[in-house]
Amino acid sequence: MALNQPLTTRVADGEKPALPQTTSVPRPSSHAMRPAPAGDIALSTSTSRPTLRSDERRRVWLDAYNAVRRETERRAAPLAPEDQVVQSMPDASPTKWHRAHTTWFFEQFLVTPRLADYRVFDERFAFLFNSYYVAAGPRHARPQRGLITRPTCDEVAAYRAHVDAAVARLLATASAAALDDILPLLELGLNHEQQHQELILTDILHAFAQNPTAPAYDARWTWPVSQRKRDDFVTLAGGVYRIGHAGDGFMYDNEGPAHEVLLQPVRLAANLVTNAEWLEFIADGGYANPTLWLSDGWACVQAEGWTAPGYWRQVDGAWFVMTLGGLRPVDPAAPVCHVSYYEADAFARWAGKHVPSEAEWEVAARTDRLGDAFGLVWQWTRSAYAPYPGYRASADALGEYNGKFMVNQMVLRGSSLATPAGHARATYRNFFYPPHRWQFSGVRLADYGA
Ligand SMILES: [Fe+2]
């Protein structure tokens, strides 16, 4: 299966983002890219309560809105208009499209239905910038987003400003009762935009990786510092545990209902698999040994010619990797990144270990004993992306956000270096197709041995 020919036309289209605790805007590199600790996403718990004074709620949410919107623009700012138009594969979208699509989301689902005197910026934009919401009307083909040279980047900036002004007007003029309806939608829209902020980086990295000159998104970019644990493994006793989101704070619908799961005794690696370990896998013929691979995975290896993780290339016998900082030597101590589920599974088999389930990962993460659970690489799990018991998507257009993708994909847990600050929690369920590896995806092993 060719990586550039996905099983469907949609791949986690930015449909999962927690809101900023502050209005500060971190840089998309190094330490500043690390998210807040899991659960530290308190904006909604403190500001959506109807008990707060109405004017305070309006102010806090407008500040949050502006902060998220600024962060999107900050991430796009290093990119020239030429960079922002390119679509390097069907699964990736142009930066300009991300900026416009996130704006359409607010216009479509928040402003147009709720602001009486709102005038749509451009009637044609709904077709261009609707991603996959069938109930919201027809849309442009995903693989052809790179052909949309118009509207220009400047026109998209004007679109963003137009909708920003409308959102500010809506927050200022809505009745106190109406705010109870508006704020959850606003919060969803902000989380949605944060998901696209991550995609802006993953997608432009893929585009730059196709350029023989290996451009740097940020020449000063460095890997975030690892928070490795000294222990080798985190032991979980067998038994019944509760997973899923419950209580205060923003959650996507796919994080619930909270429910009980039965775990077997297991040990989860305290740390992520490193490049040094992956180099051993390569040297031992890992990519040439079909007995290590799932059938679909082996087909991928052969079709794609995989001999190493995504973006790795050999230069004069040494391994280099394309990063946000351009082409850099592979750092043996850094966690392996840009590997598919198939590679994670093959590596685990080679290592005599397993890929953990998402329930095991969540239970272990709640103990705070997993090193680098958040902020470096998403971690594949062997759990299929399926609904939790009793899950039901809402009947409106926003019910399409997560529910309709609950087949044929695998769950990833944690967060990555590209995940915006505050947008991570132990219950978060990311999901991608097994061959995909242009996200910042890595591996944590599980061991069921005695
Ligand atoms: Fe989206």
mmCIF file with all atom_site columns, all heavy atoms in Angstrom, residues 400-411:
data_model
loop_
_atom_site.group_PDB
_atom_site.id
_atom_site.type_symbol
_atom_site.label_atom_id
_atom_site.label_alt_id
_atom_site.label_comp_id
_atom_site.label_asym_id
_atom_site.label_entity_id
_atom_site.label_seq_id
_atom_site.pdbx_PDB_ins_code
_atom_site.Cartn_x
_atom_site.Cartn_y
_atom_site.Cartn_z
_atom_site.occupancy
_atom_site.B_iso_or_equiv
_atom_site.pdbx_formal_charge
_atom_site.auth_seq_id
_atom_site.auth_comp_id
_atom_site.auth_asym_id
_atom_site.auth_atom_id
_atom_site.pdbx_PDB_model_num
ATOM 1   N N   . GLU A 1 400 ? -19.979 14.529 13.441 1.00 0.00 ? 400 GLU A N   1
ATOM 2   C CA  . GLU A 1 400 ? -19.035 13.953 12.481 1.00 0.00 ? 400 GLU A CA  1
ATOM 3   C C   . GLU A 1 400 ? -17.586 14.142 12.913 1.00 0.00 ? 400 GLU A C   1
ATOM 4   O O   . GLU A 1 400 ? -16.674 13.625 12.260 1.00 0.00 ? 400 GLU A O   1
ATOM 5   C CB  . GLU A 1 400 ? -19.222 14.612 11.105 1.00 0.00 ? 400 GLU A CB  1
ATOM 6   C CG  . GLU A 1 400 ? -20.590 14.373 10.496 1.00 0.00 ? 400 GLU A CG  1
ATOM 7   C CD  . GLU A 1 400 ? -20.712 14.980 9.099  1.00 0.00 ? 400 GLU A CD  1
ATOM 8   O OE1 . GLU A 1 400 ? -19.844 14.691 8.261  1.00 0.00 ? 400 GLU A OE1 1
ATOM 9   O OE2 . GLU A 1 400 ? -21.653 15.750 8.858  1.00 0.00 ? 400 GLU A OE2 1
ATOM 10  N N   . TYR A 1 401 ? -17.372 14.899 13.968 1.00 0.00 ? 401 TYR A N   1
ATOM 11  C CA  . TYR A 1 401 ? -16.003 15.296 14.360 1.00 0.00 ? 401 TYR A CA  1
ATOM 12  C C   . TYR A 1 401 ? -15.115 14.077 14.586 1.00 0.00 ? 401 TYR A C   1
ATOM 13  O O   . TYR A 1 401 ? -13.995 13.998 14.079 1.00 0.00 ? 401 TYR A O   1
ATOM 14  C CB  . TYR A 1 401 ? -16.083 16.146 15.622 1.00 0.00 ? 401 TYR A CB  1
ATOM 15  C CG  . TYR A 1 401 ? -14.863 16.980 15.911 1.00 0.00 ? 401 TYR A CG  1
ATOM 16  C CD1 . TYR A 1 401 ? -14.868 18.355 15.724 1.00 0.00 ? 401 TYR A CD1 1
ATOM 17  C CD2 . TYR A 1 401 ? -13.692 16.405 16.387 1.00 0.00 ? 401 TYR A CD2 1
ATOM 18  C CE1 . TYR A 1 401 ? -13.760 19.130 15.999 1.00 0.00 ? 401 TYR A CE1 1
ATOM 19  C CE2 . TYR A 1 401 ? -12.582 17.171 16.660 1.00 0.00 ? 401 TYR A CE2 1
ATOM 20  C CZ  . TYR A 1 401 ? -12.614 18.529 16.459 1.00 0.00 ? 401 TYR A CZ  1
ATOM 21  O OH  . TYR A 1 401 ? -11.507 19.277 16.732 1.00 0.00 ? 401 TYR A OH  1
ATOM 22  N N   . ASN A 1 402 ? -15.586 13.127 15.384 1.00 0.00 ? 402 ASN A N   1
ATOM 23  C CA  . ASN A 1 402 ? -14.773 11.970 15.741 1.00 0.00 ? 402 ASN A CA  1
ATOM 24  C C   . ASN A 1 402 ? -15.405 10.629 15.379 1.00 0.00 ? 402 ASN A C   1
ATOM 25  O O   . ASN A 1 402 ? -14.717 9.715  14.941 1.00 0.00 ? 402 ASN A O   1
ATOM 26  C CB  . ASN A 1 402 ? -14.503 11.957 17.259 1.00 0.00 ? 402 ASN A CB  1
ATOM 27  C CG  . ASN A 1 402 ? -13.424 12.925 17.674 1.00 0.00 ? 402 ASN A CG  1
ATOM 28  O OD1 . ASN A 1 402 ? -12.359 12.986 17.075 1.00 0.00 ? 402 ASN A OD1 1
ATOM 29  N ND2 . ASN A 1 402 ? -13.710 13.703 18.709 1.00 0.00 ? 402 ASN A ND2 1
ATOM 30  N N   . GLY A 1 403 ? -16.713 10.520 15.632 1.00 0.00 ? 403 GLY A N   1
ATOM 31  C CA  . GLY A 1 403 ? -17.358 9.217  15.628 1.00 0.00 ? 403 GLY A CA  1
ATOM 32  C C   . GLY A 1 403 ? -17.246 8.455  14.330 1.00 0.00 ? 403 GLY A C   1
ATOM 33  O O   . GLY A 1 403 ? -17.069 7.237  14.324 1.00 0.00 ? 403 GLY A O   1
ATOM 34  N N   . LYS A 1 404 ? -17.332 9.163  13.205 1.00 0.00 ? 404 LYS A N   1
ATOM 35  C CA  . LYS A 1 404 ? -17.393 8.430  11.938 1.00 0.00 ? 404 LYS A CA  1
ATOM 36  C C   . LYS A 1 404 ? -16.042 7.869  11.505 1.00 0.00 ? 404 LYS A C   1
ATOM 37  O O   . LYS A 1 404 ? -15.960 7.181  10.489 1.00 0.00 ? 404 LYS A O   1
ATOM 38  C CB  . LYS A 1 404 ? -17.993 9.308  10.838 1.00 0.00 ? 404 LYS A CB  1
ATOM 39  C CG  . LYS A 1 404 ? -17.135 10.468 10.380 1.00 0.00 ? 404 LYS A CG  1
ATOM 40  C CD  . LYS A 1 404 ? -17.912 11.272 9.331  1.00 0.00 ? 404 LYS A CD  1
ATOM 41  C CE  . LYS A 1 404 ? -17.066 12.365 8.720  1.00 0.00 ? 404 LYS A CE  1
ATOM 42  N NZ  . LYS A 1 404 ? -17.856 13.160 7.722  1.00 0.00 ? 404 LYS A NZ  1
ATOM 43  N N   . PHE A 1 405 ? -15.016 8.129  12.254 1.00 0.00 ? 405 PHE A N   1
ATOM 44  C CA  . PHE A 1 405 ? -13.692 7.601  11.915 1.00 0.00 ? 405 PHE A CA  1
ATOM 45  C C   . PHE A 1 405 ? -13.300 6.391  12.752 1.00 0.00 ? 405 PHE A C   1
ATOM 46  O O   . PHE A 1 405 ? -12.142 5.961  12.734 1.00 0.00 ? 405 PHE A O   1
ATOM 47  C CB  . PHE A 1 405 ? -12.640 8.702  12.072 1.00 0.00 ? 405 PHE A CB  1
ATOM 48  C CG  . PHE A 1 405 ? -12.946 9.897  11.222 1.00 0.00 ? 405 PHE A CG  1
ATOM 49  C CD1 . PHE A 1 405 ? -13.375 11.077 11.793 1.00 0.00 ? 405 PHE A CD1 1
ATOM 50  C CD2 . PHE A 1 405 ? -12.864 9.825  9.844  1.00 0.00 ? 405 PHE A CD2 1
ATOM 51  C CE1 . PHE A 1 405 ? -13.690 12.167 11.004 1.00 0.00 ? 405 PHE A CE1 1
ATOM 52  C CE2 . PHE A 1 405 ? -13.188 10.906 9.048  1.00 0.00 ? 405 PHE A CE2 1
ATOM 53  C CZ  . PHE A 1 405 ? -13.598 12.084 9.631  1.00 0.00 ? 405 PHE A CZ  1
ATOM 54  N N   . MET A 1 406 ? -14.271 5.851  13.471 1.00 0.00 ? 406 MET A N   1
ATOM 55  C CA  . MET A 1 406 ? -13.935 4.795  14.426 1.00 0.00 ? 406 MET A CA  1
ATOM 56  C C   . MET A 1 406 ? -13.883 3.420  13.773 1.00 0.00 ? 406 MET A C   1
ATOM 57  O O   . MET A 1 406 ? -14.569 2.478  14.171 1.00 0.00 ? 406 MET A O   1
ATOM 58  C CB  . MET A 1 406 ? -14.929 4.817  15.593 1.00 0.00 ? 406 MET A CB  1
ATOM 59  C CG  . MET A 1 406 ? -14.713 6.029  16.499 1.00 0.00 ? 406 MET A CG  1
ATOM 60  S SD  . MET A 1 406 ? -15.904 6.096  17.844 1.00 0.00 ? 406 MET A SD  1
ATOM 61  C CE  . MET A 1 406 ? -15.221 7.435  18.836 1.00 0.00 ? 406 MET A CE  1
ATOM 62  N N   . VAL A 1 407 ? -13.044 3.289  12.767 1.00 0.00 ? 407 VAL A N   1
ATOM 63  C CA  . VAL A 1 407 ? -12.765 1.988  12.185 1.00 0.00 ? 407 VAL A CA  1
ATOM 64  C C   . VAL A 1 407 ? -11.434 2.074  11.442 1.00 0.00 ? 407 VAL A C   1
ATOM 65  O O   . VAL A 1 407 ? -11.086 3.118  10.879 1.00 0.00 ? 407 VAL A O   1
ATOM 66  C CB  . VAL A 1 407 ? -13.911 1.534  11.240 1.00 0.00 ? 407 VAL A CB  1
ATOM 67  C CG1 . VAL A 1 407 ? -13.960 2.387  9.981  1.00 0.00 ? 407 VAL A CG1 1
ATOM 68  C CG2 . VAL A 1 407 ? -13.794 0.069  10.882 1.00 0.00 ? 407 VAL A CG2 1
ATOM 69  N N   . ASN A 1 408 ? -10.699 1.009  11.482 1.00 0.00 ? 408 ASN A N   1
ATOM 70  C CA  . ASN A 1 408 ? -9.471  0.850  10.668 1.00 0.00 ? 408 ASN A CA  1
ATOM 71  C C   . ASN A 1 408 ? -8.304  1.738  11.071 1.00 0.00 ? 408 ASN A C   1
ATOM 72  O O   . ASN A 1 408 ? -7.335  1.835  10.323 1.00 0.00 ? 408 ASN A O   1
ATOM 73  C CB  . ASN A 1 408 ? -9.773  1.074  9.177  1.00 0.00 ? 408 ASN A CB  1
ATOM 74  C CG  . ASN A 1 408 ? -10.653 -0.002 8.604  1.00 0.00 ? 408 ASN A CG  1
ATOM 75  O OD1 . ASN A 1 408 ? -10.694 -1.115 9.130  1.00 0.00 ? 408 ASN A OD1 1
ATOM 76  N ND2 . ASN A 1 408 ? -11.395 0.314  7.564  1.00 0.00 ? 408 ASN A ND2 1
ATOM 77  N N   . GLN A 1 409 ? -8.396  2.433  12.166 1.00 0.00 ? 409 GLN A N   1
ATOM 78  C CA  . GLN A 1 409 ? -7.276  3.263  12.616 1.00 0.00 ? 409 GLN A CA  1
ATOM 79  C C   . GLN A 1 409 ? -6.806  2.769  13.985 1.00 0.00 ? 409 GLN A C   1
ATOM 80  O O   . GLN A 1 409 ? -7.502  2.023  14.666 1.00 0.00 ? 409 GLN A O   1
ATOM 81  C CB  . GLN A 1 409 ? -7.669  4.735  12.689 1.00 0.00 ? 409 GLN A CB  1
ATOM 82  C CG  . GLN A 1 409 ? -8.187  5.265  11.344 1.00 0.00 ? 409 GLN A CG  1
ATOM 83  C CD  . GLN A 1 409 ? -8.226  6.771  11.244 1.00 0.00 ? 409 GLN A CD  1
ATOM 84  O OE1 . GLN A 1 409 ? -7.221  7.445  11.443 1.00 0.00 ? 409 GLN A OE1 1
ATOM 85  N NE2 . GLN A 1 409 ? -9.396  7.309  10.936 1.00 0.00 ? 409 GLN A NE2 1
ATOM 86  N N   . MET A 1 410 ? -5.603  3.190  14.357 1.00 0.00 ? 410 MET A N   1
ATOM 87  C CA  . MET A 1 410 ? -5.025  2.792  15.641 1.00 0.00 ? 410 MET A CA  1
ATOM 88  C C   . MET A 1 410 ? -4.888  4.023  16.541 1.00 0.00 ? 410 MET A C   1
ATOM 89  O O   . MET A 1 410 ? -4.663  5.138  16.066 1.00 0.00 ? 410 MET A O   1
ATOM 90  C CB  . MET A 1 410 ? -3.657  2.136  15.438 1.00 0.00 ? 410 MET A CB  1
ATOM 91  C CG  . MET A 1 410 ? -3.671  0.913  14.509 1.00 0.00 ? 410 MET A CG  1
ATOM 92  S SD  . MET A 1 410 ? -4.762  -0.428 15.052 1.00 0.00 ? 410 MET A SD  1
ATOM 93  C CE  . MET A 1 410 ? -3.794  -1.104 16.413 1.00 0.00 ? 410 MET A CE  1
ATOM 94  N N   . VAL A 1 411 ? -5.004  3.787  17.839 1.00 0.00 ? 411 VAL A N   1
ATOM 95  C CA  . VAL A 1 411 ? -4.947  4.891  18.806 1.00 0.00 ? 411 VAL A CA  1
ATOM 96  C C   . VAL A 1 411 ? -3.504  5.189  19.171 1.00 0.00 ? 411 VAL A C   1
ATOM 97  O O   . VAL A 1 411 ? -2.697  4.273  19.378 1.00 0.00 ? 411 VAL A O   1
ATOM 98  C CB  . VAL A 1 411 ? -5.742  4.531  20.074 1.00 0.00 ? 411 VAL A CB  1
ATOM 99  C CG1 . VAL A 1 411 ? -5.531  5.596  21.165 1.00 0.00 ? 411 VAL A CG1 1
ATOM 100 C CG2 . VAL A 1 411 ? -7.227  4.387  19.739 1.00 0.00 ? 411 VAL A CG2 1
#
